[in-house]
Amino acid sequence: MRAIDRQRLKSLMEREQQKFVAERPKSAALFERARKSLLGGVPMNWMAKWAGAFPPFVREARGSEFFDVDGHRYVDFCLGDTGAMTGHSPSATVSAVEQQARRGITLMLPSEDAIVVGEELQKRFGLPYWQFALTATDANRFSIRLARQITGRPKILVFNWCYHGTVDETFVTLKDGAEQARRGNIGPPVDPSVTTRVVEFNDPEALEAALAREDVACVLAEPAMTNVGIVLPEPGYHQALREVTRKHGTLLVIDETHTICAGAGGYTRAENLEPDFLVFGKPIGGGVPGAAYGFSEEVAQCIIAQQNLEDCDTGGIGGTLAGNALSLAAMRATLQKVLTKEAFDRMIPMAERWTEGVARAIAELELPWNVTRLGCRAEYLFASRTPKNGTEAHESMDFELERFMHLFAMNRGILLTPFHNMALMSPMTSKEDIDQHTKVFRDAAKELVA
Ligand SMILES: Cc1ncc(COP(=O)(O)O)c(C=O)c1O
């Protein structure tokens, strides 16, 4: 197994940065202009994280590709960090949105589309009742509030190095076995160790110990971790998770926002999970803001029994634009015509091809790296073994190396997410797209070990 020469990495990065800047004069000029009105030159702080000296400004995106203002074409494996997993601007969603935009965008009144979407979600995930939010973050926050209300318990539990959106309670990690605010946690409203217990994924004993005091309202879990690389559940883990949560009266919130990559009914349907709540956002409206959260029959009855009509608009759940007509029209079209079983039947083999290509290059170049796939999502990590939990995955992260791989790829027409080494397939992703990535990945890795 070969080690990476840091000096070489540094000089390769400088070379790639020069190439990136030299080939993108129009993006550079727009970035300079943006810095005069946008904080840090970007409309949202995460966009500062791209590996280039500035983000490429986008001219147009369609299907699995986009073009920047300098005319470069990119194969998009970031896909708006899953928001555009449907491919950019899928035609069924676009026509539904065009039509609905002319018929009313938001009314604070329901349209029939809401029922169709609720029925579709019932069929996919098996949970009987649904509500809508604008983001998966909000859907998670509302689920947590409801779980606290129903159980009368103060705490929640998450897995070490999870990510569930900007939910205050989840910015907490373990240090020497104790909860502490996650690095970079900006202005936490309360110390998250007060609100949250944290255990490692794939550790049923730690889970049992953390829930035994019976003060945890809910476990908020991705069924496979996807935000610290991919960490798959070990055989029997989900059964243990469900048994222990039931034993201690803790509700189970399954966040399928990313794990929808496992198939049309997410990991829940693929593995017959039985959550009390289920959250799904990001691509549900083909990129139009929207998210859904569903409940079991029992949870629904508890919510209804405690509902207070007079105060329901100021109880901390919902939002003015949540469940708006435009996002529901987008969700209806996306669920019925775009993110279908047939689409997954195309996307999953593409992710298999991507994973095989990366694995082949890793083996050929004897790199201490690994690659994991979940449905139509795949990711490589800088460790020789696949991780068992968030800590193992997090320890294999290497910010400098990651940025080099991303920048080298961007300079050759490939976009990965700016956060780790994730690639997602859309229904329009082609074999040629995958093979282009395999070549670029191998070329980058080869330069590192040359
Ligand atoms: C698993 C998971 N849940 C929820 C969210 C939050 O989504 P949003 O940022 O759209 O609110 C994310 C975002 O990355 C996520 O990965």
Side-chain angles (χ1 to χ4, degrees):
M1 290 274 184
R2 307 189 192 198
I4 303 296
D5 175 342
R6 291 286 144 175
Q7 204 44 49
R8 182 171 180 77
L9 175 59
K10 194 162 172 271
S11 61
L12 285 172
M13 191 65 187
E14 280 163 14
R15 184 196 74 191
E16 290 301 315
Q17 203 60 269
Q18 279 164 17
K19 178 173 162 67
F20 181 88
V21 173
E23 290 175 353
R24 288 166 184 78
K26 290 187 179 158
S27 274
L30 284 176
F31 185 62
E32 276 316 305
R33 188 175 139 207
R35 275 148 63 107
K36 298 188 182 104
S37 63
L38 305 175
L39 187 71
V42 286
M44 195 271 283
N45 51 319
W46 301 359
M47 293 186 198
K49 205 171 174 182
W50 291 103
F54 43 81
F57 279 69
V58 177
R59 193 187 73 213
E60 189 184 350
R62 55 177 183 235
S64 65
E65 64 183 7
F66 73 93
F67 297 85
D68 70 15
V69 289
D70 289 287
H72 301 287
R73 172 185 181 266
Y74 302 78
V75 178
D76 192 355
F77 290 107
C78 167
L79 294 167
D81 196 30
T82 308
M85 175 181 169
T86 51
H88 294 289
S89 300
S91 56
T93 309
V94 170
S95 15
V97 165
E98 274 172 0
Q99 285 172 34
Q100 188 60 48
R102 278 188 225 103
R103 291 199 304 245
I105 293 169
T106 191
L107 295 103
M108 188 74 82
L109 284 168
S111 59
E112 192 187 343
D113 286 343
I115 307 171
V116 178
V117 175
E119 290 166 350
E120 178 66 31
L121 293 169
Q122 263 178 358
K123 272 190 267 161
R124 282 184 183 231
F125 297 110
L127 289 153
Y129 295 105
W130 293 86
Q131 289 282 277
F132 298 99
L134 281 182
T135 64
T137 298
D138 272 351
N140 279 326
R141 289 199 304 109
F142 301 156
S143 301
I144 292 170
R145 271 186 175 262
L146 288 165
R148 283 206 177 104
Q149 168 89 355
I150 291 168
T151 59
R153 296 178 179 185
K155 288 195 185 266
I156 74 157
L157 182 142
V158 296
F159 295 107
N160 206 17
W161 297 109
C162 68
Y163 185 77
H164 295 280
T166 51
V167 178
D168 290 320
E169 289 95 330
T170 61
F171 288 103
V172 49
T173 49
L174 283 179
K175 180 145 197 275
D176 304 326
E179 289 87 6
Q180 61 164 25
R182 185 174 179 149
R183 199 181 87 193
N185 190 351
I186 300 166
V190 288
D191 175 355
S193 69
V194 173
T195 57
T196 310
R197 275 210 187 107
V198 183
V199 296
E200 294 290 357
F201 197 59
N202 279 326
D203 186 346
E205 285 81 32
L207 182 70
E208 163 69 44
L211 298 187
R213 275 181 264 165
E214 308 213 332
D215 56 355
V216 175
C218 67
V219 170
L220 173 60
E222 277 197 284
M225 297 182 81
T226 67
N227 282 300
V228 58
I230 295 174
V231 184
L232 298 174
E234 293 186 331
Y237 184 65
H238 271 289
Q239 200 187 337
L241 171 62
R242 193 58 279 204
E243 278 170 17
V244 177
T245 45
R246 284 202 171 119
K247 177 175 155 198
H248 293 298
T250 296
L251 295 166
L252 179 59
V253 184
I254 291 286
D255 179 354
E256 290 275 11
T257 303
H258 275 186
T259 47
I260 190 67
C261 61
Y267 198 93
T268 293
R269 249 302 140 74
E271 297 295 327
N272 295 317
L273 306 187
E274 293 174 5
D276 300 301
F277 292 79
L278 187 144
V279 167
F280 176 32
K282 294 204 186 185
I284 190 173
V288 174
Y293 53 118
F295 328 97
S296 67
E297 181 70 46
E298 212 184 335
V299 166
Q301 292 313 323
C302 290
I303 298 170
I304 288 165
Q306 297 185 21
Q307 225 163 31
N308 174 349
L309 191 60
E310 191 175 344
D311 297 327
C312 75
D313 54 334
T314 51
I317 287 179
T320 309
L321 299 180
N324 72 71
L326 191 71
S327 64
L328 281 156
M331 287 185 210
R332 177 179 182 166
T334 305
L335 291 173
Q336 291 196 322
K337 300 189 181 140
V338 186
L339 224 46
T340 57
K341 182 184 173 306
E342 295 67 39
F344 281 93
D345 289 344
R346 280 198 303 280
M347 287 141 80
I348 292 174
M350 291 300 150
E352 285 167 354
R353 191 180 179 96
W354 193 95
T355 308
E356 281 157 19
V358 169
R360 246 193 340 268
I362 290 174
E364 180 205 334
L365 299 168
E366 297 180 8
L367 285 160
W369 301 355
N370 73 80
V371 57
T372 307
R373 182 182 65 80
L374 176 66
C376 65
R377 175 187 304 273
E379 168 132 18
Y380 55 87
L381 279 183
F382 306 122
S384 45
R385 279 192 321 136
T386 53
K388 177 184 165 152
N389 56 38
T391 294
E392 284 187 16
H394 191 260
E395 278 170 358
S396 72
M397 290 195 159
D398 183 327
F399 192 56
E400 281 177 3
L401 190 50
E402 197 174 278
R403 286 175 88 70
F404 168 71
M405 296 301 287
H406 292 200
L407 188 57
F408 187 98
M410 256 203 276
N411 277 337
R412 288 153 189 84
I414 299 276
L415 194 81
L416 298 165
T417 67
F419 311 122
H420 30 110
N421 305 312
M422 188 207 78
L424 190 64
M425 312 300 139
S426 77
M428 291 86 160
T429 305
S430 67
K431 286 184 184 164
E432 291 71 35
D433 293 339
I434 306 292
D435 296 346
Q436 186 181 337
H437 174 267
T438 304
K439 180 177 179 326
V440 167
F441 174 82
R442 187 179 170 283
D443 288 350
K446 207 158 174 222
E447 291 234 30
L448 282 168
V449 297

